Amino acid sequence: MNFLGTWMLRFAFTCGLISFLLIAFKQEKEENKNLGILTGIVASFGVLLSSLLLLYSLVSGNYSIEYVYHNTEKSLPLIYKISAFWSGSSGSMLIWTSVLAVLLIIVFLRNKEKSSTKTISGVLLFVMTLFMFVVTFIKNPFKAVSEQSDGFGLNPSLQSLGMVFHPPVIIIAFSFFFIAFGYQLFDIRKNTEEHINITWKWAMWGWVLLTFGIITGGIWAYTELGWGGYWAWDPIENSSLVNWLFATAFLHSLRGKSNNNKRMNFLLIFLTVFTILVGTYIARSGLLNSVHAYSSRGVTVVFGVVLVVLVLLFIVYYFKIKRLHPKNNTKKSFLSIIKSGNLFSILSIITAVLIFGGTTFPLYGGSFSKLYRIRQ
């Protein structure tokens, strides 16, 4: 099973990478015959099959697979054997990739004749390929170990209904925001407002699910983990709150009087998905102390490079769209947001920036201290 699962992941990653490159660099007129998108669909089925193999291994108790051995045991109830899928770093990333794969298939089947399908598919495949690289070459959930009898077992604090519902809801919410970003990206590239309503719907459902996920996470922390409260200002908790605040500002801006500020709306949805990836980076790298964190040097390097590249690409692209929308200059866009009718948006943005800056400060604060001492 470990051999089949590993090679299925490699197959899915290869197809995903080829698909993304074809979408990014090959021009094709018909979306329903786009080779890049169709290759992405093949990659999606590869991901889903690998997920089914891991799920079967968890339920059946295949303890020759390291992930199964460390996250389940023979006597564990079935519901917790299933939730063990997303209890570890590689499993949770694989289930997230699977959610993105399902959404990619849905978008293709529902919108395969629309020109926006290529952009949405490209966004989803970019994230999928990143995650598939991690679970294929760095944190492979199908890594083999010597045959074990009963399994090491799932952490008692994770044997809770909170573990059953909270992580999947958060993952689905995050995935919806990537689709909303894809539609917003298409509209601003084509200088159209064709997808405002569908962008709002995807973002709104993401916001609702993220709100539910944060609330259920707080209840879980209070009742099961013994933190003594619903909120501990843990870095990953803070990250989800930052995502929520930027998404709130985006929804308010998209539906409010400032909905014609395309550049500001694009900036807000970009900050939403970017901080989602930053939160994922913090959780997977273990650079900040967190009860949610997994430590992996390989993930630290890969995600770090990707985030830097994304920032550089956004800066380049932002100046490109600045030429496409000269009337929507940054000053006017910002001033329209801070009008009295949009006071909640600006408060959300300021709060998000302060929390994000305070949470990530330990990552770069030492550099400022060293620079200050050198100058002294």
Side-chain angles (χ1 to χ4, degrees), residues 103 123 170-183 202-210 243-244 246-248 250-251 269 272-273 276:
L103 292 176
V123 171
I170 294 290
I171 285 172
I172 294 171
F174 287 166
S175 302
F176 283 3
F177 286 127
F178 283 110
I179 294 184
F181 171 73
Y183 278 114
W202 280 107
M204 188 64 195
W205 275 111
W207 183 90
V208 169
L209 289 174
L210 181 57
N243 308 147
W244 186 89
F246 279 131
T248 301
F250 171 70
L251 287 167
I269 191 62
T272 302
V273 298
I276 287 173

PDB file of all heavy atoms in Angstrom, residues 103 123 170-183 202-210 243-244 246-248 250-251 269 272-273 276:
ATOM      1  N   LEU A 103     -12.735  20.774  -5.658  1.00  0.00           N
ATOM      2  CA  LEU A 103     -13.200  22.081  -6.129  1.00  0.00           C
ATOM      3  C   LEU A 103     -12.772  22.335  -7.571  1.00  0.00           C
ATOM      4  O   LEU A 103     -13.522  22.927  -8.352  1.00  0.00           O
ATOM      5  CB  LEU A 103     -12.661  23.186  -5.210  1.00  0.00           C
ATOM      6  CG  LEU A 103     -13.242  23.199  -3.794  1.00  0.00           C
ATOM      7  CD1 LEU A 103     -12.553  24.276  -2.951  1.00  0.00           C
ATOM      8  CD2 LEU A 103     -14.745  23.441  -3.821  1.00  0.00           C
ATOM      9  N   VAL A 123      -4.985  29.056 -10.292  1.00  0.00           N
ATOM     10  CA  VAL A 123      -4.813  29.385  -8.870  1.00  0.00           C
ATOM     11  C   VAL A 123      -4.870  28.125  -8.019  1.00  0.00           C
ATOM     12  O   VAL A 123      -4.007  27.886  -7.156  1.00  0.00           O
ATOM     13  CB  VAL A 123      -5.894  30.388  -8.414  1.00  0.00           C
ATOM     14  CG1 VAL A 123      -5.862  30.562  -6.893  1.00  0.00           C
ATOM     15  CG2 VAL A 123      -5.699  31.738  -9.092  1.00  0.00           C
ATOM     16  N   ILE A 170     -12.168  24.435   8.623  1.00  0.00           N
ATOM     17  CA  ILE A 170     -11.179  25.487   8.361  1.00  0.00           C
ATOM     18  C   ILE A 170     -10.546  25.287   6.985  1.00  0.00           C
ATOM     19  O   ILE A 170     -10.375  26.245   6.209  1.00  0.00           O
ATOM     20  CB  ILE A 170     -10.084  25.486   9.449  1.00  0.00           C
ATOM     21  CG1 ILE A 170     -10.656  25.889  10.811  1.00  0.00           C
ATOM     22  CG2 ILE A 170      -8.940  26.417   9.063  1.00  0.00           C
ATOM     23  CD1 ILE A 170     -11.053  27.347  10.923  1.00  0.00           C
ATOM     24  N   ILE A 171     -10.212  24.051   6.651  1.00  0.00           N
ATOM     25  CA  ILE A 171      -9.578  23.747   5.361  1.00  0.00           C
ATOM     26  C   ILE A 171     -10.506  24.094   4.204  1.00  0.00           C
ATOM     27  O   ILE A 171     -10.089  24.694   3.203  1.00  0.00           O
ATOM     28  CB  ILE A 171      -9.169  22.261   5.319  1.00  0.00           C
ATOM     29  CG1 ILE A 171      -7.931  22.033   6.190  1.00  0.00           C
ATOM     30  CG2 ILE A 171      -8.890  21.812   3.885  1.00  0.00           C
ATOM     31  CD1 ILE A 171      -7.569  20.569   6.375  1.00  0.00           C
ATOM     32  N   ILE A 172     -11.780  23.725   4.314  1.00  0.00           N
ATOM     33  CA  ILE A 172     -12.747  24.039   3.255  1.00  0.00           C
ATOM     34  C   ILE A 172     -12.920  25.551   3.125  1.00  0.00           C
ATOM     35  O   ILE A 172     -12.984  26.085   2.012  1.00  0.00           O
ATOM     36  CB  ILE A 172     -14.098  23.357   3.546  1.00  0.00           C
ATOM     37  CG1 ILE A 172     -13.942  21.830   3.475  1.00  0.00           C
ATOM     38  CG2 ILE A 172     -15.165  23.809   2.547  1.00  0.00           C
ATOM     39  CD1 ILE A 172     -15.163  21.061   3.947  1.00  0.00           C
ATOM     40  N   ALA A 173     -12.983  26.246   4.251  1.00  0.00           N
ATOM     41  CA  ALA A 173     -13.119  27.702   4.224  1.00  0.00           C
ATOM     42  C   ALA A 173     -11.948  28.342   3.486  1.00  0.00           C
ATOM     43  O   ALA A 173     -12.135  29.203   2.611  1.00  0.00           O
ATOM     44  CB  ALA A 173     -13.202  28.242   5.656  1.00  0.00           C
ATOM     45  N   PHE A 174     -10.733  27.937   3.830  1.00  0.00           N
ATOM     46  CA  PHE A 174      -9.551  28.482   3.170  1.00  0.00           C
ATOM     47  C   PHE A 174      -9.594  28.219   1.663  1.00  0.00           C
ATOM     48  O   PHE A 174      -9.221  29.072   0.852  1.00  0.00           O
ATOM     49  CB  PHE A 174      -8.284  27.862   3.766  1.00  0.00           C
ATOM     50  CG  PHE A 174      -7.939  28.368   5.149  1.00  0.00           C
ATOM     51  CD1 PHE A 174      -6.995  27.703   5.928  1.00  0.00           C
ATOM     52  CD2 PHE A 174      -8.546  29.496   5.670  1.00  0.00           C
ATOM     53  CE1 PHE A 174      -6.663  28.169   7.192  1.00  0.00           C
ATOM     54  CE2 PHE A 174      -8.224  29.966   6.941  1.00  0.00           C
ATOM     55  CZ  PHE A 174      -7.280  29.297   7.703  1.00  0.00           C
ATOM     56  N   SER A 175     -10.031  27.028   1.296  1.00  0.00           N
ATOM     57  CA  SER A 175     -10.082  26.660  -0.123  1.00  0.00           C
ATOM     58  C   SER A 175     -11.055  27.532  -0.893  1.00  0.00           C
ATOM     59  O   SER A 175     -10.806  27.910  -2.047  1.00  0.00           O
ATOM     60  CB  SER A 175     -10.475  25.180  -0.259  1.00  0.00           C
ATOM     61  OG  SER A 175      -9.559  24.345   0.421  1.00  0.00           O
ATOM     62  N   PHE A 176     -12.184  27.885  -0.270  1.00  0.00           N
ATOM     63  CA  PHE A 176     -13.166  28.761  -0.915  1.00  0.00           C
ATOM     64  C   PHE A 176     -12.567  30.136  -1.206  1.00  0.00           C
ATOM     65  O   PHE A 176     -12.864  30.746  -2.236  1.00  0.00           O
ATOM     66  CB  PHE A 176     -14.402  28.913  -0.034  1.00  0.00           C
ATOM     67  CG  PHE A 176     -15.325  27.723  -0.060  1.00  0.00           C
ATOM     68  CD1 PHE A 176     -15.006  26.582  -0.779  1.00  0.00           C
ATOM     69  CD2 PHE A 176     -16.513  27.734   0.643  1.00  0.00           C
ATOM     70  CE1 PHE A 176     -15.854  25.483  -0.813  1.00  0.00           C
ATOM     71  CE2 PHE A 176     -17.374  26.641   0.616  1.00  0.00           C
ATOM     72  CZ  PHE A 176     -17.039  25.514  -0.114  1.00  0.00           C
ATOM     73  N   PHE A 177     -11.713  30.616  -0.314  1.00  0.00           N
ATOM     74  CA  PHE A 177     -11.098  31.930  -0.532  1.00  0.00           C
ATOM     75  C   PHE A 177     -10.161  31.915  -1.741  1.00  0.00           C
ATOM     76  O   PHE A 177     -10.034  32.917  -2.445  1.00  0.00           O
ATOM     77  CB  PHE A 177     -10.327  32.371   0.715  1.00  0.00           C
ATOM     78  CG  PHE A 177     -11.211  32.803   1.854  1.00  0.00           C
ATOM     79  CD1 PHE A 177     -11.068  32.242   3.116  1.00  0.00           C
ATOM     80  CD2 PHE A 177     -12.193  33.763   1.664  1.00  0.00           C
ATOM     81  CE1 PHE A 177     -11.884  32.633   4.165  1.00  0.00           C
ATOM     82  CE2 PHE A 177     -13.012  34.167   2.711  1.00  0.00           C
ATOM     83  CZ  PHE A 177     -12.858  33.595   3.968  1.00  0.00           C
ATOM     84  N   PHE A 178      -9.512  30.790  -1.990  1.00  0.00           N
ATOM     85  CA  PHE A 178      -8.644  30.698  -3.171  1.00  0.00           C
ATOM     86  C   PHE A 178      -9.465  30.792  -4.457  1.00  0.00           C
ATOM     87  O   PHE A 178      -9.015  31.391  -5.436  1.00  0.00           O
ATOM     88  CB  PHE A 178      -7.840  29.399  -3.142  1.00  0.00           C
ATOM     89  CG  PHE A 178      -6.682  29.419  -2.192  1.00  0.00           C
ATOM     90  CD1 PHE A 178      -6.691  28.659  -1.030  1.00  0.00           C
ATOM     91  CD2 PHE A 178      -5.570  30.211  -2.447  1.00  0.00           C
ATOM     92  CE1 PHE A 178      -5.628  28.688  -0.142  1.00  0.00           C
ATOM     93  CE2 PHE A 178      -4.496  30.256  -1.571  1.00  0.00           C
ATOM     94  CZ  PHE A 178      -4.521  29.479  -0.409  1.00  0.00           C
ATOM     95  N   ILE A 179     -10.661  30.214  -4.458  1.00  0.00           N
ATOM     96  CA  ILE A 179     -11.525  30.347  -5.634  1.00  0.00           C
ATOM     97  C   ILE A 179     -11.978  31.788  -5.803  1.00  0.00           C
ATOM     98  O   ILE A 179     -11.978  32.326  -6.922  1.00  0.00           O
ATOM     99  CB  ILE A 179     -12.741  29.406  -5.517  1.00  0.00           C
ATOM    100  CG1 ILE A 179     -12.288  27.955  -5.560  1.00  0.00           C
ATOM    101  CG2 ILE A 179     -13.741  29.675  -6.636  1.00  0.00           C
ATOM    102  CD1 ILE A 179     -13.416  26.941  -5.542  1.00  0.00           C
ATOM    103  N   ALA A 180     -12.363  32.438  -4.708  1.00  0.00           N
ATOM    104  CA  ALA A 180     -12.758  33.843  -4.772  1.00  0.00           C
ATOM    105  C   ALA A 180     -11.609  34.698  -5.311  1.00  0.00           C
ATOM    106  O   ALA A 180     -11.818  35.605  -6.132  1.00  0.00           O
ATOM    107  CB  ALA A 180     -13.182  34.334  -3.392  1.00  0.00           C
ATOM    108  N   PHE A 181     -10.390  34.401  -4.874  1.00  0.00           N
ATOM    109  CA  PHE A 181      -9.229  35.124  -5.376  1.00  0.00           C
ATOM    110  C   PHE A 181      -9.063  34.908  -6.876  1.00  0.00           C
ATOM    111  O   PHE A 181      -8.740  35.843  -7.618  1.00  0.00           O
ATOM    112  CB  PHE A 181      -7.961  34.662  -4.644  1.00  0.00           C
ATOM    113  CG  PHE A 181      -6.686  35.194  -5.238  1.00  0.00           C
ATOM    114  CD1 PHE A 181      -6.330  36.522  -5.077  1.00  0.00           C
ATOM    115  CD2 PHE A 181      -5.845  34.363  -5.974  1.00  0.00           C
ATOM    116  CE1 PHE A 181      -5.158  37.023  -5.633  1.00  0.00           C
ATOM    117  CE2 PHE A 181      -4.681  34.852  -6.530  1.00  0.00           C
ATOM    118  CZ  PHE A 181      -4.340  36.188  -6.360  1.00  0.00           C
ATOM    119  N   GLY A 182      -9.288  33.674  -7.337  1.00  0.00           N
ATOM    120  CA  GLY A 182      -9.167  33.382  -8.763  1.00  0.00           C
ATOM    121  C   GLY A 182     -10.140  34.193  -9.599  1.00  0.00           C
ATOM    122  O   GLY A 182      -9.766  34.754 -10.639  1.00  0.00           O
ATOM    123  N   TYR A 183     -11.386  34.295  -9.159  1.00  0.00           N
ATOM    124  CA  TYR A 183     -12.375  35.083  -9.889  1.00  0.00           C
ATOM    125  C   TYR A 183     -12.021  36.570  -9.867  1.00  0.00           C
ATOM    126  O   TYR A 183     -12.160  37.274 -10.877  1.00  0.00           O
ATOM    127  CB  TYR A 183     -13.770  34.884  -9.286  1.00  0.00           C
ATOM    128  CG  TYR A 183     -14.458  33.636  -9.762  1.00  0.00           C
ATOM    129  CD1 TYR A 183     -14.728  32.584  -8.882  1.00  0.00           C
ATOM    130  CD2 TYR A 183     -14.839  33.487 -11.092  1.00  0.00           C
ATOM    131  CE1 TYR A 183     -15.363  31.426  -9.312  1.00  0.00           C
ATOM    132  CE2 TYR A 183     -15.476  32.335 -11.537  1.00  0.00           C
ATOM    133  CZ  TYR A 183     -15.733  31.306 -10.643  1.00  0.00           C
ATOM    134  OH  TYR A 183     -16.354  30.163 -11.089  1.00  0.00           O
ATOM    135  N   TRP A 202     -18.535  32.876  -3.112  1.00  0.00           N
ATOM    136  CA  TRP A 202     -17.470  31.986  -2.657  1.00  0.00           C
ATOM    137  C   TRP A 202     -16.794  32.541  -1.406  1.00  0.00           C
ATOM    138  O   TRP A 202     -16.513  31.811  -0.448  1.00  0.00           O
ATOM    139  CB  TRP A 202     -16.436  31.782  -3.752  1.00  0.00           C
ATOM    140  CG  TRP A 202     -16.825  30.779  -4.789  1.00  0.00           C
ATOM    141  CD1 TRP A 202     -17.217  31.033  -6.073  1.00  0.00           C
ATOM    142  CD2 TRP A 202     -16.859  29.351  -4.656  1.00  0.00           C
ATOM    143  NE1 TRP A 202     -17.492  29.865  -6.745  1.00  0.00           N
ATOM    144  CE2 TRP A 202     -17.278  28.816  -5.898  1.00  0.00           C
ATOM    145  CE3 TRP A 202     -16.570  28.466  -3.610  1.00  0.00           C
ATOM    146  CZ2 TRP A 202     -17.416  27.444  -6.115  1.00  0.00           C
ATOM    147  CZ3 TRP A 202     -16.702  27.103  -3.829  1.00  0.00           C
ATOM    148  CH2 TRP A 202     -17.121  26.608  -5.061  1.00  0.00           C
ATOM    149  N   ALA A 203     -16.509  33.861  -1.415  1.00  0.00           N
ATOM    150  CA  ALA A 203     -15.858  34.486  -0.265  1.00  0.00           C
ATOM    151  C   ALA A 203     -16.779  34.469   0.953  1.00  0.00           C
ATOM    152  O   ALA A 203     -16.327  34.265   2.088  1.00  0.00           O
ATOM    153  CB  ALA A 203     -15.447  35.913  -0.605  1.00  0.00           C
ATOM    154  N   MET A 204     -18.083  34.677   0.723  1.00  0.00           N
ATOM    155  CA  MET A 204     -19.034  34.694   1.833  1.00  0.00           C
ATOM    156  C   MET A 204     -19.147  33.320   2.477  1.00  0.00           C
ATOM    157  O   MET A 204     -19.144  33.196   3.710  1.00  0.00           O
ATOM    158  CB  MET A 204     -20.411  35.148   1.330  1.00  0.00           C
ATOM    159  CG  MET A 204     -21.418  35.371   2.459  1.00  0.00           C
ATOM    160  SD  MET A 204     -20.893  36.736   3.542  1.00  0.00           S
ATOM    161  CE  MET A 204     -21.943  36.461   4.962  1.00  0.00           C
ATOM    162  N   TRP A 205     -19.226  32.268   1.664  1.00  0.00           N
ATOM    163  CA  TRP A 205     -19.273  30.924   2.218  1.00  0.00           C
ATOM    164  C   TRP A 205     -17.968  30.594   2.945  1.00  0.00           C
ATOM    165  O   TRP A 205     -17.974  29.931   3.996  1.00  0.00           O
ATOM    166  CB  TRP A 205     -19.546  29.906   1.114  1.00  0.00           C
ATOM    167  CG  TRP A 205     -21.002  29.735   0.828  1.00  0.00           C
ATOM    168  CD1 TRP A 205     -21.670  30.111  -0.304  1.00  0.00           C
ATOM    169  CD2 TRP A 205     -21.978  29.157   1.696  1.00  0.00           C
ATOM    170  NE1 TRP A 205     -23.010  29.808  -0.195  1.00  0.00           N
ATOM    171  CE2 TRP A 205     -23.229  29.215   1.024  1.00  0.00           C
ATOM    172  CE3 TRP A 205     -21.936  28.596   2.972  1.00  0.00           C
ATOM    173  CZ2 TRP A 205     -24.404  28.730   1.594  1.00  0.00           C
ATOM    174  CZ3 TRP A 205     -23.106  28.111   3.539  1.00  0.00           C
ATOM    175  CH2 TRP A 205     -24.319  28.177   2.847  1.00  0.00           C
ATOM    176  N   GLY A 206     -16.849  31.064   2.395  1.00  0.00           N
ATOM    177  CA  GLY A 206     -15.584  30.871   3.090  1.00  0.00           C
ATOM    178  C   GLY A 206     -15.583  31.574   4.433  1.00  0.00           C
ATOM    179  O   GLY A 206     -15.115  31.017   5.442  1.00  0.00           O
ATOM    180  N   TRP A 207     -16.130  32.783   4.453  1.00  0.00           N
ATOM    181  CA  TRP A 207     -16.189  33.560   5.704  1.00  0.00           C
ATOM    182  C   TRP A 207     -17.084  32.878   6.728  1.00  0.00           C
ATOM    183  O   TRP A 207     -16.749  32.801   7.921  1.00  0.00           O
ATOM    184  CB  TRP A 207     -16.705  34.964   5.386  1.00  0.00           C
ATOM    185  CG  TRP A 207     -16.746  35.894   6.562  1.00  0.00           C
ATOM    186  CD1 TRP A 207     -15.751  36.735   6.983  1.00  0.00           C
ATOM    187  CD2 TRP A 207     -17.847  36.091   7.469  1.00  0.00           C
ATOM    188  NE1 TRP A 207     -16.151  37.443   8.090  1.00  0.00           N
ATOM    189  CE2 TRP A 207     -17.430  37.061   8.406  1.00  0.00           C
ATOM    190  CE3 TRP A 207     -19.119  35.552   7.565  1.00  0.00           C
ATOM    191  CZ2 TRP A 207     -18.266  37.501   9.431  1.00  0.00           C
ATOM    192  CZ3 TRP A 207     -19.942  35.974   8.597  1.00  0.00           C
ATOM    193  CH2 TRP A 207     -19.519  36.940   9.516  1.00  0.00           C
ATOM    194  N   VAL A 208     -18.233  32.382   6.292  1.00  0.00           N
ATOM    195  CA  VAL A 208     -19.162  31.692   7.199  1.00  0.00           C
ATOM    196  C   VAL A 208     -18.501  30.448   7.797  1.00  0.00           C
ATOM    197  O   VAL A 208     -18.563  30.214   9.017  1.00  0.00           O
ATOM    198  CB  VAL A 208     -20.466  31.307   6.456  1.00  0.00           C
ATOM    199  CG1 VAL A 208     -21.316  30.371   7.315  1.00  0.00           C
ATOM    200  CG2 VAL A 208     -21.264  32.545   6.088  1.00  0.00           C
ATOM    201  N   LEU A 209     -17.872  29.650   6.949  1.00  0.00           N
ATOM    202  CA  LEU A 209     -17.223  28.434   7.434  1.00  0.00           C
ATOM    203  C   LEU A 209     -16.037  28.751   8.333  1.00  0.00           C
ATOM    204  O   LEU A 209     -15.802  28.061   9.334  1.00  0.00           O
ATOM    205  CB  LEU A 209     -16.765  27.582   6.249  1.00  0.00           C
ATOM    206  CG  LEU A 209     -17.887  26.905   5.446  1.00  0.00           C
ATOM    207  CD1 LEU A 209     -17.309  26.203   4.217  1.00  0.00           C
ATOM    208  CD2 LEU A 209     -18.662  25.921   6.303  1.00  0.00           C
ATOM    209  N   LEU A 210     -15.277  29.794   7.986  1.00  0.00           N
ATOM    210  CA  LEU A 210     -14.143  30.176   8.833  1.00  0.00           C
ATOM    211  C   LEU A 210     -14.633  30.652  10.192  1.00  0.00           C
ATOM    212  O   LEU A 210     -14.040  30.324  11.229  1.00  0.00           O
ATOM    213  CB  LEU A 210     -13.321  31.277   8.148  1.00  0.00           C
ATOM    214  CG  LEU A 210     -12.081  31.766   8.905  1.00  0.00           C
ATOM    215  CD1 LEU A 210     -11.136  30.609   9.214  1.00  0.00           C
ATOM    216  CD2 LEU A 210     -11.353  32.844   8.098  1.00  0.00           C
ATOM    217  N   ASN A 243      -6.879  36.179   8.836  1.00  0.00           N
ATOM    218  CA  ASN A 243      -7.595  35.770   7.621  1.00  0.00           C
ATOM    219  C   ASN A 243      -9.044  36.253   7.672  1.00  0.00           C
ATOM    220  O   ASN A 243      -9.567  36.790   6.681  1.00  0.00           O
ATOM    221  CB  ASN A 243      -7.594  34.250   7.466  1.00  0.00           C
ATOM    222  CG  ASN A 243      -6.228  33.618   7.557  1.00  0.00           C
ATOM    223  OD1 ASN A 243      -6.091  32.502   8.050  1.00  0.00           O
ATOM    224  ND2 ASN A 243      -5.195  34.327   7.132  1.00  0.00           N
ATOM    225  N   TRP A 244      -9.680  36.059   8.811  1.00  0.00           N
ATOM    226  CA  TRP A 244     -11.088  36.435   8.994  1.00  0.00           C
ATOM    227  C   TRP A 244     -11.272  37.938   8.836  1.00  0.00           C
ATOM    228  O   TRP A 244     -12.220  38.400   8.194  1.00  0.00           O
ATOM    229  CB  TRP A 244     -11.564  35.975  10.364  1.00  0.00           C
ATOM    230  CG  TRP A 244     -13.024  36.165  10.617  1.00  0.00           C
ATOM    231  CD1 TRP A 244     -14.036  35.301  10.347  1.00  0.00           C
ATOM    232  CD2 TRP A 244     -13.635  37.321  11.227  1.00  0.00           C
ATOM    233  NE1 TRP A 244     -15.246  35.830  10.722  1.00  0.00           N
ATOM    234  CE2 TRP A 244     -15.028  37.080  11.270  1.00  0.00           C
ATOM    235  CE3 TRP A 244     -13.148  38.529  11.724  1.00  0.00           C
ATOM    236  CZ2 TRP A 244     -15.936  37.991  11.792  1.00  0.00           C
ATOM    237  CZ3 TRP A 244     -14.050  39.446  12.245  1.00  0.00           C
ATOM    238  CH2 TRP A 244     -15.420  39.175  12.278  1.00  0.00           C
ATOM    239  N   PHE A 246      -9.289  40.198   7.206  1.00  0.00           N
ATOM    240  CA  PHE A 246      -9.090  40.626   5.816  1.00  0.00           C
ATOM    241  C   PHE A 246     -10.268  40.199   4.938  1.00  0.00           C
ATOM    242  O   PHE A 246     -10.706  40.953   4.063  1.00  0.00           O
ATOM    243  CB  PHE A 246      -7.786  40.055   5.255  1.00  0.00           C
ATOM    244  CG  PHE A 246      -6.559  40.829   5.639  1.00  0.00           C
ATOM    245  CD1 PHE A 246      -5.435  40.187   6.150  1.00  0.00           C
ATOM    246  CD2 PHE A 246      -6.513  42.207   5.482  1.00  0.00           C
ATOM    247  CE1 PHE A 246      -4.307  40.902   6.501  1.00  0.00           C
ATOM    248  CE2 PHE A 246      -5.383  42.941   5.832  1.00  0.00           C
ATOM    249  CZ  PHE A 246      -4.274  42.277   6.344  1.00  0.00           C
ATOM    250  N   ALA A 247     -10.787  38.991   5.173  1.00  0.00           N
ATOM    251  CA  ALA A 247     -11.944  38.521   4.402  1.00  0.00           C
ATOM    252  C   ALA A 247     -13.169  39.380   4.697  1.00  0.00           C
ATOM    253  O   ALA A 247     -13.956  39.687   3.791  1.00  0.00           O
ATOM    254  CB  ALA A 247     -12.225  37.056   4.735  1.00  0.00           C
ATOM    255  N   THR A 248     -13.325  39.779   5.942  1.00  0.00           N
ATOM    256  CA  THR A 248     -14.445  40.645   6.321  1.00  0.00           C
ATOM    257  C   THR A 248     -14.361  41.990   5.607  1.00  0.00           C
ATOM    258  O   THR A 248     -15.346  42.493   5.062  1.00  0.00           O
ATOM    259  CB  THR A 248     -14.452  40.869   7.849  1.00  0.00           C
ATOM    260  OG1 THR A 248     -14.574  39.605   8.515  1.00  0.00           O
ATOM    261  CG2 THR A 248     -15.611  41.764   8.260  1.00  0.00           C
ATOM    262  N   PHE A 250     -12.785  42.570   2.826  1.00  0.00           N
ATOM    263  CA  PHE A 250     -13.002  42.331   1.397  1.00  0.00           C
ATOM    264  C   PHE A 250     -14.488  42.242   1.071  1.00  0.00           C
ATOM    265  O   PHE A 250     -14.969  42.870   0.110  1.00  0.00           O
ATOM    266  CB  PHE A 250     -12.297  41.043   0.975  1.00  0.00           C
ATOM    267  CG  PHE A 250     -12.638  40.594  -0.424  1.00  0.00           C
ATOM    268  CD1 PHE A 250     -12.181  41.302  -1.518  1.00  0.00           C
ATOM    269  CD2 PHE A 250     -13.432  39.473  -0.632  1.00  0.00           C
ATOM    270  CE1 PHE A 250     -12.509  40.908  -2.816  1.00  0.00           C
ATOM    271  CE2 PHE A 250     -13.762  39.067  -1.922  1.00  0.00           C
ATOM    272  CZ  PHE A 250     -13.301  39.789  -3.010  1.00  0.00           C
ATOM    273  N   LEU A 251     -15.233  41.477   1.852  1.00  0.00           N
ATOM    274  CA  LEU A 251     -16.667  41.325   1.611  1.00  0.00           C
ATOM    275  C   LEU A 251     -17.391  42.658   1.753  1.00  0.00           C
ATOM    276  O   LEU A 251     -18.270  42.989   0.955  1.00  0.00           O
ATOM    277  CB  LEU A 251     -17.248  40.299   2.585  1.00  0.00           C
ATOM    278  CG  LEU A 251     -16.885  38.838   2.315  1.00  0.00           C
ATOM    279  CD1 LEU A 251     -17.250  37.971   3.516  1.00  0.00           C
ATOM    280  CD2 LEU A 251     -17.590  38.343   1.066  1.00  0.00           C
ATOM    281  N   ILE A 269      -8.345  40.654  -1.083  1.00  0.00           N
ATOM    282  CA  ILE A 269      -8.485  39.208  -1.247  1.00  0.00           C
ATOM    283  C   ILE A 269      -7.106  38.560  -1.371  1.00  0.00           C
ATOM    284  O   ILE A 269      -6.907  37.425  -0.923  1.00  0.00           O
ATOM    285  CB  ILE A 269      -9.381  38.856  -2.466  1.00  0.00           C
ATOM    286  CG1 ILE A 269      -9.725  37.360  -2.463  1.00  0.00           C
ATOM    287  CG2 ILE A 269      -8.721  39.265  -3.765  1.00  0.00           C
ATOM    288  CD1 ILE A 269     -10.500  36.897  -1.262  1.00  0.00           C
ATOM    289  N   THR A 272      -5.883  38.138   2.064  1.00  0.00           N
ATOM    290  CA  THR A 272      -6.584  37.025   2.703  1.00  0.00           C
ATOM    291  C   THR A 272      -5.902  35.704   2.388  1.00  0.00           C
ATOM    292  O   THR A 272      -5.561  34.928   3.288  1.00  0.00           O
ATOM    293  CB  THR A 272      -8.056  36.967   2.245  1.00  0.00           C
ATOM    294  OG1 THR A 272      -8.710  38.197   2.554  1.00  0.00           O
ATOM    295  CG2 THR A 272      -8.787  35.820   2.943  1.00  0.00           C
ATOM    296  N   VAL A 273      -5.685  35.427   1.095  1.00  0.00           N
ATOM    297  CA  VAL A 273      -5.081  34.133   0.727  1.00  0.00           C
ATOM    298  C   VAL A 273      -3.596  34.092   1.080  1.00  0.00           C
ATOM    299  O   VAL A 273      -3.062  33.031   1.427  1.00  0.00           O
ATOM    300  CB  VAL A 273      -5.297  33.828  -0.774  1.00  0.00           C
ATOM    301  CG1 VAL A 273      -6.781  33.713  -1.080  1.00  0.00           C
ATOM    302  CG2 VAL A 273      -4.660  34.878  -1.667  1.00  0.00           C
ATOM    303  N   ILE A 276      -3.262  33.246   4.629  1.00  0.00           N
ATOM    304  CA  ILE A 276      -3.580  31.824   4.802  1.00  0.00           C
ATOM    305  C   ILE A 276      -2.318  30.990   4.578  1.00  0.00           C
ATOM    306  O   ILE A 276      -1.995  30.086   5.356  1.00  0.00           O
ATOM    307  CB  ILE A 276      -4.694  31.385   3.827  1.00  0.00           C
ATOM    308  CG1 ILE A 276      -6.038  31.953   4.280  1.00  0.00           C
ATOM    309  CG2 ILE A 276      -4.776  29.853   3.740  1.00  0.00           C
ATOM    310  CD1 ILE A 276      -7.165  31.723   3.286  1.00  0.00           C
TER     311      ILE A 276
END
